[in-house]
Amino acid sequence: MVQLSRRQLLAAAGAATVASLAGCDSGDGADSADVNDKKAGSMDGFKVGDQFKATEPLKFSIMMLSNQNYPFKPDWPMLTELTKRTNVSFEPTAVPGSDYNQKVSVVVSAGNAPQIIPKTYHPAEEAFIAGGAILPVSDYVHLMPHFTEKVQRWNLQGNLAAISQQDGKYYLLPGLHEAVWQDYSLGMRTDILEKHGLAVPATWDDLTTTLRGLRKAYPDRYPFSDRWSTQKPGPGANNLLGLLAASYGTYAGWTYQTAYWDGGAGKFVLSGAMEQYKQVVQYLQILVSEKLMDPESFTQTDDAARQKFASGKSFVLSVNAQTVVNEARLDIAKVPGAKVAKIPLPTGPMGATLSGEARLENGIMLGKKALESKNFVAMLQFIDWLWYSDAGLMFSKWGIEGETYTGSLDDGSFKLNPQIKWAGLNPSAPKNLQVDYGYFNGVFAYGGSTKILNSQFSDEEKAFQAEMNKRTTREVGPPHPFSPEEREQAGLWEAAIADHVNQSTLAFILGKRPLSEWDAYVAELKAKGGDKYIDLANKAYDRFKEKK
């Protein structure tokens, strides 16, 4: 059998996706027949560049993540204006961020999910496929002109192929990025580094050296006390592990997936059993054992981590572009001379590279009840406009031209209203774009062109992004789509494996289990179906190769 490279495989899958999209343009075929009686409220001839507006008032049920920093408000001006523009309003189920994933799992599994379920991170959708609780959204993207146009123009077919199942369909509408975007990194008290002559770390090993210097200067405290450890189920499933794993060449924490593509071997391997995973665990175990990192970093709430940072009990924590300004900088505002900066993401054994998977964002699942609606086509057109059109993304991010912002991205004249603040923009303004208006609310504005993305950056963040853009983008691994029967069995194995990986990861890091027991831990993963899962994944991959 001819061995294809990952690039060849993804190109072939992409070509198939393009052909599929093109074949649907006419609106003929079985998929179109499914929706012929579900066009109430939809626009005839809806195309790229059109402003969607339903032909009659519509209301869609939606899951709304409520961020603790800008809690959901049903009377946000954003929602009022959205209804004016689109003739669509929501029946929202608002859920705090800390409970969001669990709530989604419960309502979807019980068949009580809203029609629109945003903020879903692949591969979370796979747990709901076998039971038919969510729709194969790829069957209907021919009704979404902005989505399909961006997929083709930005060459994202291979990325979509990588999240497709054995039936060739994908069940998540992801946010689409024109290019790779790295947001998360570490925030560090640069004034403290300067005071003690410590350099901003360029690598993870450099970070260890810097933390040792901080510990020597402040022996009564942990230099690094981290956050973002309670957003996903399971101890050890945090953001920092995900950042480290990408630097070492595996999956962990927020980015954890059961199977990792080993390009050198040409096969999938068990992520949690990889030597690279052991190295990630060992790295963090050293930080904890030397008291360079707070052992509570993997279980504490965000508020607890922020309080330690604000009080000077720690000097390092995870941040993104928004939180370094909205939270970390505000938290230390009362400390004379205190400064915090988001440093370039430290590099590891993978070098100055970024994962190509970052071109897809969290996305939308459609509950099976969505297809029962006579307004299904209008719903797809609405989603297409709000999440995938440039106009929709500009609206959900920045609001109303002439009211919340002025100017244009095209000629560089764009400017946020000086009376409104967002992240590092207009920090002393009386109004907050997210809290008071509901724009940038964490549900709608994901993905988009580099031009739109850059519009949200301060000069400081632009400098960070310029540094990240120097890095090479790694190719995504090939698909290993399961059949429905395989998916059901794989899901059972995945749940048991992930739970044991997370529990054991935390035990190793905290020293409650010695790393000398690593081989025993790997054997435990195998006993929980690890080898069987990987065999299934590689058989699925081989089957995919043969079809292409």
Side-chain angles (χ1 to χ4, degrees):
M1 183 171 60
V2 176
Q3 295 294 312
L4 300 177
S5 69
R6 279 179 292 167
R7 184 181 295 277
Q8 288 170 319
L9 285 165
L10 293 176
T17 304
V18 172
S20 173
L21 292 172
C24 292
D25 286 344
S26 65
D28 297 330
D31 294 339
S32 296
D34 291 341
V35 298
N36 280 339
D37 60 345
K38 304 178 189 303
K39 296 181 178 179
S42 66
M43 292 175 58
D44 290 335
F46 181 61
K47 64 185 184 301
V48 171
D50 286 350
Q51 158 72 58
F52 171 77
K53 187 162 189 177
T55 57
E56 60 185 72
L58 302 178
K59 179 173 284 191
F60 300 134
S61 58
I62 187 171
M63 188 79 78
M64 289 286 297
L65 180 142
S66 184
N67 191 296
Q68 65 174 356
N69 296 312
Y70 34 93
F72 172 75
K73 299 175 184 177
D75 61 349
W76 266 337
M78 181 268 178
L79 298 176
T80 301
E81 180 66 22
L82 182 63
T83 299
K84 285 182 184 177
R85 295 191 180 199
T86 65
N87 217 6
V88 171
S89 59
F90 291 130
E91 181 184 329
T93 299
V95 183
S98 58
D99 300 327
Y100 190 79
N101 294 313
Q102 182 178 2
K103 179 70 171 179
V104 167
S105 180
V106 169
V107 299
V108 175
S109 299
N112 299 321
Q115 295 165 312
I116 303 173
I117 311 161
K119 202 69 175 179
T120 302
Y121 289 84
H122 175 74
E125 80 280 7
E126 293 181 351
F128 312 116
I129 293 173
I134 59 173
L135 297 179
V137 291
S138 56
D139 279 353
Y140 308 103
V141 294
H142 61 284
L143 299 168
M144 301 177 63
H146 296 96
F147 176 89
T148 55
E149 189 270 340
K150 280 184 167 61
V151 167
Q152 294 183 47
R153 180 156 52 92
W154 293 346
N155 297 315
L156 287 164
Q157 299 90 347
N159 298 72
L160 291 177
I163 68 169
S164 297
Q165 304 303 308
Q166 194 268 343
D167 56 9
K169 302 177 182 182
Y170 47 92
Y171 291 72
L172 180 73
L173 282 170
L176 307 176
H177 284 290
E178 182 178 4
V180 170
W181 171 41
Q182 177 65 41
D183 188 14
Y184 291 85
S185 186
L186 299 179
M188 301 191 75
R189 280 282 302 275
T190 51
D191 61 305
I192 298 295
L193 297 183
E194 293 167 4
K195 179 179 179 180
H196 297 284
L198 298 169
V200 172
T203 68
W204 292 107
D205 287 342
D206 290 344
L207 176 65
T208 303
T209 301
T210 298
L211 293 176
R212 285 171 177 158
L214 290 170
R215 177 74 186 184
K216 184 178 180 180
Y218 302 91
D220 61 336
R221 65 198 78 178
Y222 296 108
F224 190 178
S225 187
D226 210 18
R227 60 180 304 176
W228 286 325
S229 295
T230 60
Q231 279 73 17
K232 292 196 174 185
N238 72 352
N239 169 67
L240 177 63
L241 271 161
L243 296 180
L244 276 164
S247 299
Y248 277 79
T250 186
Y251 292 129
W254 277 12
T255 67
Y256 175 77
Q257 295 183 44
T258 309
Y260 186 88
W261 175 251
D262 183 337
K267 64 180 181 179
F268 286 95
V269 295
L270 194 62
S271 300
M274 294 173 68
E275 175 62 24
Q276 291 90 333
Y277 196 99
K278 181 181 179 182
Q279 291 170 2
V280 169
V281 170
Q282 190 169 29
Y283 177 86
L284 292 171
Q285 188 271 331
I286 290 172
L287 296 191
V288 171
S289 66
E290 293 189 17
K291 298 185 177 180
L292 307 178
M293 187 171 192
D294 185 352
E296 295 181 355
S297 294
F298 305 93
T299 53
Q300 70 186 346
T301 64
D302 287 6
D303 285 344
R306 289 177 60 188
Q307 287 168 7
K308 292 174 183 177
F309 190 77
S311 63
K313 291 181 178 179
S314 70
F315 308 111
V316 184
L317 83 169
S318 292
V319 296
N320 60 28
Q322 290 191 54
T323 61
V324 71
V325 176
N326 291 346
E327 297 175 5
R329 204 155 280 164
L330 293 179
D331 290 343
I332 62 171
K334 294 182 179 179
V335 180
K339 296 186 294 183
V340 59
K342 184 173 80 163
I343 69 169
L345 182 66
T347 59
M350 297 297 285
T353 63
L354 297 173
S355 171
E357 294 172 8
R359 292 190 68 198
L360 297 187
E361 260 283 5
N362 71 76
I364 302 163
M365 294 188 295
L366 294 180
K368 63 180 180 180
K369 290 182 180 178
L371 189 56
E372 299 170 5
S373 170
K374 65 179 182 178
N375 308 121
F376 181 65
V377 172
M379 183 189 306
L380 293 172
Q381 292 177 346
F382 168 75
I383 291 171
D384 184 60
W385 179 80
L386 184 57
W387 271 273
Y388 300 104
S389 76
D390 289 346
L393 286 166
M394 274 298 292
F395 168 73
S396 57
K397 284 177 182 282
W398 294 120
I400 306 168
E401 184 178 3
E403 184 175 318
T404 56
Y405 74 90
T406 56
S408 167
L409 298 183
D410 293 330
D411 59 11
S413 62
F414 170 85
K415 188 176 182 181
L416 184 64
N417 183 325
Q419 296 300 305
I420 301 172
K421 60 186 171 185
W422 182 85
L425 304 179
N426 306 332
S428 60
K431 292 287 188 177
N432 185 300
L433 187 69
Q434 294 166 306
V435 175
D436 299 309
Y437 292 88
Y439 298 107
F440 257 115
N441 59 37
V443 176
F444 307 114
Y446 284 94
S449 68
T450 300
K451 183 186 294 184
I452 290 178
L453 181 66
N454 286 342
S455 71
Q456 69 194 58
F457 294 154
S458 62
D459 289 342
E460 175 186 17
E461 181 62 17
K462 287 177 181 175
F464 174 88
Q465 291 299 327
E467 192 64 31
M468 293 299 98
N469 290 339
K470 296 176 184 177
R471 301 188 180 183
T472 303
T473 300
R474 303 195 301 271
E475 292 182 348
V476 298
H480 58 284
F482 294 129
S483 70
E485 295 76 21
E486 290 170 338
R487 164 50 48 204
E488 188 169 5
Q489 176 59 68
L492 297 174
W493 284 329
E494 283 177 315
I497 294 167
D499 181 65
H500 194 61
V501 167
N502 287 333
Q503 296 279 355
S504 300
T505 296
L506 187 59
F508 283 129
I509 291 172
L510 298 183
K512 295 180 179 179
R513 186 174 187 179
L515 276 168
S516 60
E517 295 185 11
W518 181 264
D519 290 345
Y521 152 74
V522 172
E524 291 158 9
L525 290 182
K526 292 179 180 178
K528 292 183 180 296
D531 281 355
K532 294 177 181 177
Y533 178 90
I534 292 302
D535 286 344
L536 195 65
N538 281 313
K539 287 177 181 176
Y541 164 61
D542 288 339
R543 192 169 57 222
F544 171 82
K545 282 194 300 183
E546 290 170 0
K547 285 185 178 180
K548 298 304 177 186

